[in-house]
Amino acid sequence: DSGVTQTPKHLITATGQRVTLRCSPRSGDLSVYWYQQSLDQGLQFLIQYYNGEERAKGNILERFSAQQFPDLHSELNLSSLELGDSALYFCASSVAGRKPNEQFFGPGTRLTVL
Amino acid sequence: AQSVTQPDIHITVSEGASLELRCNYSYGATPYLFWYVQSPGQGLQLLLKYFSGDTLVQGIKGFEAEFKRSQSSFNLRKPSVHWSDAAEYFCAVARGNKLVFGAGTILRVKS
């Protein structure tokens, strides 16, 4: 158990819908990262938040957004869902925000778009 | 651009045999390197990391990896594989704050 929690574990929804994925980082970690794992793209970095502020952005679609709240939990919002958004979404956390450091991953949320 | 290559998509080894999973990276500066393991239906677990210093790093579950700058490699090894090691293994390099992952190597263990 990494100490990172993600809810829900599974999500099944229809095209055009909007969903919210939730992540709670390890106690004491200020950074939260979101990754997408799909068969065709592999593991891709989406976005990072550090202590409530966006710190780095990767291959995140405009239909996707994220935020980190004062209690440090984070939410990833996916809207206007398409079939291709079906994937495993991981949240990771780490202590630091700028320099490279080890990231601890949650169990993931499996999103299925029908 | 930084990238990570894991040339083997699948590897099958017998239980008790030694294991080496290959990883090559392209990165201009001193890399920060990681190996993660993902069991079916599970998240990613950190096996070991290399930031600096001794080029042979020890990790959890009996794994080790060696950083070879001249070959741009960070291969993962285990002297004796157990059936419970069957999983997918990912090599990653830190690019700024984010991790760039290889495509993964699926390890199958035969009894």
Side-chain angles (χ1 to χ4, degrees):
Chain A
D1 185 358
S2 66
V4 178
T5 60
Q6 289 186 248
T7 57
K9 291 189 84 169
H10 302 277
L11 204 47
I12 301 174
T13 188
T15 54
Q17 295 300 302
R18 172 190 168 95
V19 297
T20 297
L21 313 184
R22 183 188 169 104
C23 167
S24 292
R26 293 187 322 156
S27 176
D29 284 358
L30 299 178
S31 269
V32 170
Y33 310 77
W34 287 97
Y35 290 83
Q36 180 194 58
Q37 185 179 34
S38 62
L39 284 175
D40 52 347
Q41 297 288 327
L43 268 161
Q44 300 266 316
F45 168 74
L46 295 178
I47 197 163
Q48 177 205 1
Y49 277 80
Y50 175 74
N51 205 20
E53 295 187 1
E54 183 182 304
R55 183 57 62 89
K57 217 166 186 176
N59 300 322
I60 187 166
L61 300 171
E62 284 193 13
R63 300 182 285 108
F64 296 0
S65 65
Q67 54 185 326
Q68 186 179 27
F69 295 86
D71 67 352
L72 301 178
H73 91 271
S74 177
E75 292 181 357
L76 179 67
N77 299 295
L78 315 177
S79 62
S80 302
L81 285 167
E82 302 175 359
L83 295 177
D85 297 328
S86 295
L88 195 49
Y89 291 85
F90 286 112
C91 168
S93 73
S94 70
V95 171
R98 289 198 180 276
K99 59 180 184 179
N101 54 93
E102 55 192 277
Q103 297 177 19
F104 296 88
F105 282 74
T109 293
R110 182 168 294 282
L111 173 66
T112 302
V113 182
L114 301 175
Chain B
Q2 293 88 349
S3 69
V4 179
T5 302
Q6 293 181 246
D8 303 305
I9 298 174
H10 297 101
I11 280 187
T12 300
V13 299
S14 297
E15 192 169 13
S18 64
L19 170 70
E20 182 168 29
L21 302 182
R22 297 183 289 164
C23 172
N24 292 96
Y25 64 90
S26 67
Y27 192 66
T30 300
Y32 293 82
L33 296 159
F34 306 82
W35 274 100
Y36 284 85
V37 61
Q38 183 178 23
S39 299
Q42 303 294 313
L44 293 155
Q45 182 182 23
L46 179 67
L47 286 175
L48 46 77
K49 64 182 186 289
Y50 173 78
F51 285 2
S52 65
D54 193 346
T55 56
L56 184 63
V57 293
Q58 302 297 320
I60 62 171
K61 303 185 179 187
F63 286 93
E64 66 177 27
E66 187 171 13
F67 169 62
K68 292 185 178 180
R69 185 186 299 276
S70 61
Q71 297 177 20
S72 297
S73 70
F74 188 56
N75 294 349
L76 182 71
R77 301 194 295 246
K78 187 170 185 178
S80 177
V81 168
H82 188 262
W83 64 267
S84 60
D85 293 324
E88 188 162 15
Y89 291 80
F90 292 92
C91 181
V93 62
R95 178 185 176 186
N97 302 340
K98 70 177 186 182
L99 295 178
V100 176
F101 286 89
T105 297
I106 296 172
L107 172 65
R108 297 182 178 131
V109 181
K110 60 181 182 182
S111 54

